[in-house]
DNA sequence: TATGAATGAGCGTTCATTCAT
DNA sequence: TATGAATGAACGCTCATTCAT
């Protein structure tokens, strides 16, 4: 339940003001106390996604939760640790899903389509986490950036191997560089999370996946049209 | 007491563009014994009184308190907010006291004398606050200056109405302008706070009240001597 | 290239912007170059009067003049020096005028009325200077504050001596303290400069002088009404 | 003589209350060789690109330049103003180039390829500016974000209109949404700036343009292969 | 006579973090 | 599990002042 209580002009009371205007949503749980940790990192994801890591303060996170800034430190050791947590959750499962697809029996082009769809799926289910991973992971301290980086590379590897396989079996053009192709596909996929929500609503699920498929088609050999050289 | 402070209304995570904090005024009661907070605004009053608002730094206030300058911001949201707090306390009760007197049964001249005495009384009990109100309220940001200004006007109104009543019932000269008379009486009263301490010690409570009473007498009709030109 | 920036993208361009709104006044002389110094201290007086010494920046002064901040230092050695200049001009002549009146032949009550009128006269002719003297002289560095203080004391002395004379010759009540009476009269006179302009327009010249005369009347012995004791 | 000329927003000496500086946007031309200014915004671009707007401090910028941090403010009015300057330069010319291409005689697919190439070209010549525009423009204050936003929309409009033209003349599939296609193309293009430098070296100018061209091919109708579901 | 460029000092404020409770 | 109180560090910014020109 959400409770709006009155209190003082002091900073620490920020979360319980007597507001005159329509109150805004605050994330507060009164059931299932062991879920509290989830809520806290959820709030962090939300705030980091909205304002960027450096643009967000721990106070902002506390505000969303209706708790005091200091209390956050019961749940994470530092702001950077919170960022790593959010980023980690933002790629959680991506690599495994990709590997499962690559291990499957589809032809390379089919695999690529599936990889794209799988890569975009979490945009719908954990938007904020994915957005933070994409936009903010660069601000992680070296150690954890490397940890997260390993996951990124696993994902990229899967895309790249599929493209290589496509070139090898002749289903994709041989005039492309697999590495740059992979970067392009992922670049497009990752751009989606920053689209306006309305655009994204169309993209996530199906549409964007299909546009990505167009890219796969672009790579396909049975496309009569040749790229102009040296453009 | 009632205090207006700035505070954050966190806007629900919207996608980019990033929203900024646009703090809103909040009505906050601090009736419970926030002892430390009292000390802090006391120190602010002292320092503002001594050096003027712009001449005083928050560091000066912190020095008086023996705490770090940054720690002040736990107690007030901004230097300007501290000024408003001090100013508000500097006029607190003035208007109410004046209204009580005006509502009483004394004749206008008696009321005027009482108004003057009541107006000067706080000079003894909360010197710094009154001094800051008188000398520094002009540096308040527009919004709070207006709030404080409303109180000033209530006080002025009471003085003016009593003078009008005195003119109406014939106990005061009809050749004076009530508005200017009010300004003069208050001008003199408010000057006292800036006197040298030794002079003030005599003024506050009795002496200054007596001089002010002389002024009241100056306004009285039963004074034989007439001012020179066409007043 | 064309650039939109807040205020000025280049600080030094402040004085030559392309403004879209109705232009505001700037004090610029194109004749009599040797008068420039006058204009500069005039601008300082204006700005100090409006914003207070500490609330005003040298940039503010430069803005009024349409010149660069650094150029001011050709005319005065420091901001404090400018303040002293303005303050000095704010009391210039006051003491002499008062002394001339006191040396005259009027009876004490007449002298007091003349002193008041003379004291208020400069409010009309050099408002800003007087206002700065009254409100800001406390911020002068010790040395110059003492210099200016000597003038103040001369003025006060004249008022006080006249009151003493009035008491001595029986034309003023003997139950008043001449020192406090002097402070009261000057307190009222000095308050006028801070009144709203509309009020002041009435005060300066005649009305306020006449109210001050009321105070002299209040001090006069031929007033039947006695002050209540111990109010 | 006194001349009232247009300029600075100084408010003519009003009596208290004190007026504040309320700076207004001002149009300033800096066509003359403000060399140092160029260096300063170059440094800002570099630092913002490297660490992100909020991750970079003005001290960081000053360090790059070997000057004191305070001195920066001689060249720009605020950190935000510097960001806007950098962002503005990051898109400068993009819209015009795009419009020139669209106004040309090429068929839609050819125009699209040219648009892509033109859009990527500045990546090589003003990397930092473009990167800041793409990654950090969301942190601009509302007013300037809108100004910059107008340019973005012009660019997007050109891409979208070309795609619409392609659909209209049958050279591009009619089963695609022009808006999403535009977003995808630009999403991919804009991703390039964040690639590792080694990858980018290949992309900028030719390679990435070629991959983007592949995407254009993906959009072309003469591609036999159809995307799976109901596109 | 005035300016462009720069600076050192300091200011108000924010922020991540700590710690006793 | 959470908070009130406080802090050190740094941040963006302003300001009076200097100085070569």
């Amino acid at each position: 339940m959400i409770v709006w209580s009155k209190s003082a002009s002091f900073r620490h009371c920020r979360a319980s003001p007597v507001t005159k205007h329509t109150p805004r949503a605050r994330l507060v749980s009164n059931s299932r106390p062991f879920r509290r940790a989830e809520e806290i990192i959820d709030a962090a994801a939300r705030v980091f996604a909205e304002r960027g890591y450096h643009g967000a303060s721990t106070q902002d996170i506390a505000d969303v939760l209706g708790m005091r800034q200091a209390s956050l430190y019961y749940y994470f050791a530092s702001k950077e640790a919170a960022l790593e947590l959010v980023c980690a959750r933002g790629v959680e499962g991506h690599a495994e899903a990709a590997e499962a697809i690559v291990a499957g029996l589809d032809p390379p082009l089919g695999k690529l389509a599936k990889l794209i769809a799988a890569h975009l799926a979490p945009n719908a289910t954990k938007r904020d986490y994915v957005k933070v991973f994409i936009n903010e992971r660069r601000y992680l301290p070296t150690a954890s950036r490397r940890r997260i980086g390993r996951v990124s590379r696993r994902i990229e590897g899967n895309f790249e191997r599929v493209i290589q396989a496509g070139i090898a079996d002749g289903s994709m053009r041989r005039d492309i560089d697999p590495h740059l192709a992979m970067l392009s596909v992922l670049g497009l996929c990752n751009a989606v999370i920053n689209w306006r929500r309305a655009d994204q609503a169309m993209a996530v699920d199906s549409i964007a996946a299909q546009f990505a498929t167009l890219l796969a088609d672009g790579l396909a050999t049975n496309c009569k049209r040749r790229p102009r050289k040296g453009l």
Side-chain angles (χ1 to χ4, degrees), chain A:
Chain A
M1 202 195 63
I2 304 251
V3 173
W4 297 95
S5 74
K6 36 174 119 181
S7 175
S9 76
F10 303 105
R11 244 308 202 19
H12 53 277
C13 293
R14 260 205 190 168
S16 49
V18 177
T19 40
K20 299 258 179 158
H21 56 285
T22 318
R24 293 167 181 279
R26 231 204 305 159
L27 241 180
V28 171
S29 110
N30 65 347
S31 68
R32 315 252 260 169
F34 59 93
R35 283 261 198 105
R36 193 74 179 142
E38 291 298 307
E39 287 169 14
I40 267 97
I41 129 152
D42 238 62
R46 220 156 100 181
V47 171
F48 289 161
E50 197 200 355
R51 302 196 199 281
Y53 175 70
H54 282 302
S57 72
T58 55
Q59 181 64 61
D60 292 334
I61 302 173
D63 282 348
V64 178
L65 291 158
M67 82 196 309
R68 307 292 167 267
Q69 190 193 7
S71 313
L72 295 174
Y73 284 78
Y74 183 82
Y75 295 97
F76 46 70
S78 71
K79 198 189 171 194
E80 278 177 346
L83 177 59
E84 183 173 4
L85 249 158
V86 172
C87 284
R89 216 167 269 208
V91 270
E92 204 178 41
H94 280 230
E96 293 74 10
E99 272 152 17
I101 290 166
V102 172
L105 296 170
D106 299 283
L109 266 175
K111 281 181 178 172
L112 184 56
K114 280 190 175 173
L115 278 178
I116 290 167
H119 193 77
L120 286 171
N123 279 19
T125 57
K126 47 180 187 181
R127 252 188 67 69
D128 293 331
Y129 292 90
V130 173
K131 191 171 179 188
V132 170
F133 167 75
I134 289 173
N135 294 331
E136 315 296 334
R137 72 171 179 279
R138 59 196 279 231
Y139 300 119
L140 284 169
T142 318
S144 43
R145 197 175 56 247
R146 266 208 270 273
R147 268 194 297 280
I148 297 284
R150 270 195 290 273
V151 185
S152 295
R153 251 167 287 121
R154 270 174 68 194
I155 298 173
E156 291 174 11
N158 283 298
F159 275 82
E160 198 165 336
R161 270 190 297 281
V162 163
I163 294 173
Q164 286 170 328
I167 295 171
D169 78 357
S171 66
M172 293 187 194
R173 307 173 176 194
R174 62 172 41 84
D175 59 358
I176 58 167
D177 177 86
H179 185 66
L180 287 180
M182 170 276 287
L183 287 175
S184 301
V185 174
L186 280 173
L188 168 52
C189 289
N190 290 338
V192 172
I193 201 80
N194 287 316
W195 291 359
R196 235 160 289 144
R197 261 210 154 89
D199 294 330
Q200 229 169 126
M202 304 179 63
V204 173
D205 289 339
S206 67
I207 318 275
Q210 287 180 358
F211 267 104
T213 304
L214 287 180
L215 176 65
D217 288 343
L219 299 179
T221 41
N222 56 358
C223 190
K224 285 192 297 201
R225 209 162 176 292
R226 309 264 84 198
R228 279 152 301 284
K229 271 181 211 151
L231 198 157

